[in-house]
Amino acid sequence: MTEPTLFQRSSEPLAARMRPKSLEEFLGQEHLLGPGKPLGELIRRGDVGSCIFWGPPGSGKTTLARLIANYTDRHFEPFSAVTEGVGRVREIIKEAEERLKYEGRGTILFCDEIHRFNKAQQDAFLPWVENGIVTLIGATTENPSFELTQPLLSRCRVFVLEPLTPEHIGTIVRRAIDAETKGRGEKGEVRFGDDAIELLVRHAQGDARRALNALEAVFQHVTNLSPPPSPVPGDVVQAVLEKPLPVYDKAGEQHFNLISALHKAVRGSDVEGSLYWLARMLAGGEDPLYLARRLVRIASEDVGLADPRALSVALAAKDAYHFLGTPEGELALAEATVYLATAPKSNRVYEAFSQATDAAAEHPAEPVPLHIRNAPTRLMEELGYGAGYKYAHAYAHAYVPQEYLPEALRGRKWYEPSDFGYEKDIKKRMEWWEQLKQKATEGRKDGMGMTE
């Protein structure tokens, strides 16, 4: 029987056939596997304990687990938290106990998508990890801090895997082409143009499995063409590949990472970065109204009174999207994003309100000064409610100094306007009011005759 080629269907996917058999063949994760790096040294010494591999799809989590089993001469038992449950875990544990007792051989229990287990199911691993019956290697695409229990994390080392670089993906694709056509003569030789390989690399988005699955799909398409093109051009690859979706998870860490990037880019007045992260989230399927709400928040928090129009622009963008929908309304969000990114920035209102909130928590029951209380009844008037209140509009410039804070908080200063944008004018006005207040305190009547 001849070996299957890319022109023949195989029961095993190309990604599985191309799985590295040694650390030397493994590409990427140099920060973990390079000379002197922690995981590489542990694997070479055969001294790997229970651990968690956290990384994006196609970064090599399963392959590394298999390599650890090979290098440590332990039985490899794959397990998926998506399709199997705790009952299967108990069967694996029983088999591992017998294997250790009668063969003296350890077992690696590889749990893919371990974050899919709830807390009770995760706790089922604890006694067997603790007594060494199995070495648990869990793989997850989600942040272990949020998805895994602390007891489990305390018994496992966490290794963070990174997406493969375009250079790594290109090497993997070329290796696959060479391996599947090597030694098969001219009829078996298949060549790809550089533009075709570049498209495969771009399509993969750092995911080796995705690159190899795409390559396999291209070959299956090419076999139906008569004659098959050689080299395979980029337009043929483009015709086979579906439109790649951006790497994005609306409910997971990617959501928080990308919205953080958008917020910080706008705060940092980087227009291009702001537009890119906005576009990434929209393309990934984020709710545009969620983004509109975030823009309104940015207008209040980071632009503030340096440009009071920013809040109106953000709210108008929200209304425009609500009115137009997708895709027309997305342009309004982009317009607001650019406006906010290029606006003068001030977080002085944000800081002032935070301090006022702290003061309200510290002094939750301070009485309202009598002179600014409302007095709708005769009894309240007799009790002194509203006595001594000065109606601001009865004075020049609609201003008269008087106390508005409770006794315990008088003299506090929370809002200090910046020198940016409109806040420069606010600062001048507040300084002018302060001058009037000081002169009134000193008993100088001419202070009320000042002009702004």
Side-chain angles (χ1 to χ4, degrees):
M1 179 180 294
T2 60
E3 296 181 8
T5 73
L6 288 173
F7 292 98
Q8 300 171 340
R9 289 192 177 273
S10 170
S11 59
E12 191 175 35
L14 176 61
R17 300 201 300 274
M18 291 302 301
R19 196 182 297 280
K21 304 298 190 296
S22 68
L23 284 177
E24 289 69 31
E25 294 179 9
F26 191 91
L27 291 175
Q29 316 309 332
E30 289 85 356
H31 65 293
L32 296 177
L33 303 174
K37 299 302 181 180
L39 184 56
E41 293 302 311
L42 289 173
I43 294 175
R44 292 180 181 91
R45 291 201 308 265
D47 191 26
V48 180
S50 293
C51 54
I52 302 294
F53 291 157
W54 171 29
S59 56
K61 299 185 291 295
T62 303
T63 297
L64 272 179
R66 289 182 177 276
L67 287 177
I68 290 171
N70 292 341
Y71 274 75
T72 59
D73 193 30
R74 282 180 270 189
H75 175 77
F76 183 80
E77 190 66 50
F79 173 89
S80 174
V82 177
T83 58
E84 300 176 278
V86 174
R88 175 57 184 148
V89 172
R90 295 193 183 98
E91 293 176 2
I92 293 173
I93 296 300
K94 183 177 180 180
E95 294 168 358
E97 287 181 306
E98 294 178 352
R99 189 178 297 110
L100 188 61
K101 181 178 180 180
Y102 295 110
E103 302 177 24
R105 191 182 184 200
T107 298
I108 286 181
L109 172 55
F110 176 69
C111 183
D112 197 18
E113 305 286 345
I114 192 171
H115 61 274
R116 298 293 188 94
F117 269 172
N118 61 36
K119 292 183 178 181
Q121 290 172 316
Q122 291 179 33
D123 287 344
F125 289 117
L126 296 180
W128 315 113
V129 172
E130 189 75 39
N131 62 22
I133 296 299
V134 296
T135 299
L136 173 67
I137 299 181
T140 177
T141 57
E142 302 296 328
N143 190 326
S145 301
F146 302 142
E147 303 296 337
L148 302 185
T149 65
Q150 284 303 314
L152 185 59
L153 286 176
S154 69
R155 291 165 172 80
C156 300
R157 291 187 65 176
V158 176
F159 295 101
V160 182
L161 280 68
E162 299 173 348
L164 299 184
T165 66
E167 291 75 17
H168 292 145
I169 298 294
T171 300
I172 290 170
V173 169
R174 290 184 175 90
R175 279 183 182 177
I177 295 171
D178 292 343
E180 294 298 306
T181 60
K182 186 177 180 180
R184 303 187 186 281
E186 293 184 2
K187 291 185 179 180
E189 182 180 354
V190 180
R191 293 183 298 115
F192 275 68
D194 291 339
D195 58 338
I197 293 178
E198 173 62 27
L199 281 171
L200 288 167
V201 170
R202 196 184 314 153
H203 173 82
Q205 300 185 54
D207 183 336
R209 186 186 302 108
R210 185 174 187 175
L212 292 172
N213 288 344
L215 177 63
E216 194 165 29
V218 170
F219 266 98
Q220 291 172 1
H221 173 72
V222 167
T223 57
N224 293 323
L225 299 179
S226 183
S230 185
V232 177
D235 58 350
V236 170
V237 173
Q238 186 66 57
V240 175
L241 300 181
E242 73 278 9
K243 181 180 178 181
L245 294 176
V247 178
Y248 188 60
D249 178 0
K250 290 194 291 182
E253 188 189 12
Q254 281 289 336
H255 165 81
F256 296 105
N257 286 345
L258 267 68
I259 195 60
S260 175
L262 172 61
H263 195 144
K264 289 180 172 65
V266 175
R267 177 185 294 153
S269 301
D270 188 312
V271 176
E272 285 71 27
S274 302
L275 285 173
Y276 172 75
W277 296 117
L278 176 72
R280 270 282 300 274
M281 296 186 80
L282 287 170
E286 183 57 75
D287 179 6
L289 288 176
Y290 167 80
L291 294 169
R293 289 192 293 271
R294 192 61 175 238
L295 293 175
V296 171
R297 170 67 181 190
I298 293 171
S300 300
E301 178 181 341
D302 294 292
V303 177
L305 289 177
D307 185 350
R309 294 169 296 182
L311 185 56
S312 298
V313 170
L315 287 169
K318 181 266 295 182
D319 290 340
Y321 178 81
H322 199 270
F323 180 63
L324 294 174
T326 297
E328 291 86 353
E330 293 174 1
L331 184 58
L333 300 181
E335 180 179 332
T337 299
V338 172
Y339 187 96
L340 295 176
T342 56
K345 305 295 190 297
S346 172
N347 70 340
R348 298 299 177 87
V349 172
Y350 173 75
E351 291 182 345
F353 184 62
S354 296
Q355 294 175 40
T357 300
D358 292 341
E362 185 180 351
H363 302 274
E366 291 297 319
V368 176
L370 281 175
H371 68 284
I372 58 173
R373 294 188 190 184
N374 191 28
T377 68
R378 182 180 297 274
L379 174 62
M380 296 170 81
E381 287 182 4
E382 292 173 353
L383 292 174
Y385 282 39
Y389 172 66
K390 299 174 183 178
Y391 184 59
H393 292 288
Y395 296 82
H397 311 294
Y399 176 77
V400 59
Q402 60 186 325
E403 293 293 345
Y404 294 96
L405 282 172
E407 185 71 34
L409 294 172
R410 287 180 185 174
R412 295 286 185 94
K413 299 287 185 183
W414 295 313
Y415 178 55
E416 297 288 344
S418 70
D419 293 320
F420 297 103
Y422 184 70
E423 276 196 324
K424 290 189 297 185
D425 297 327
I426 296 176
K427 186 174 186 180
K428 291 178 183 177
R429 191 174 304 133
M430 291 179 67
E431 290 172 349
W432 178 70
W433 282 328
E434 185 62 29
Q435 291 173 10
L436 294 181
K437 185 176 182 180
Q438 290 176 1
K439 288 188 177 183
T441 302
E442 296 167 0
R444 298 177 184 173
K445 301 298 183 180
D446 60 336
M448 300 308 298
M450 293 180 61
T451 58
E452 186 173 2

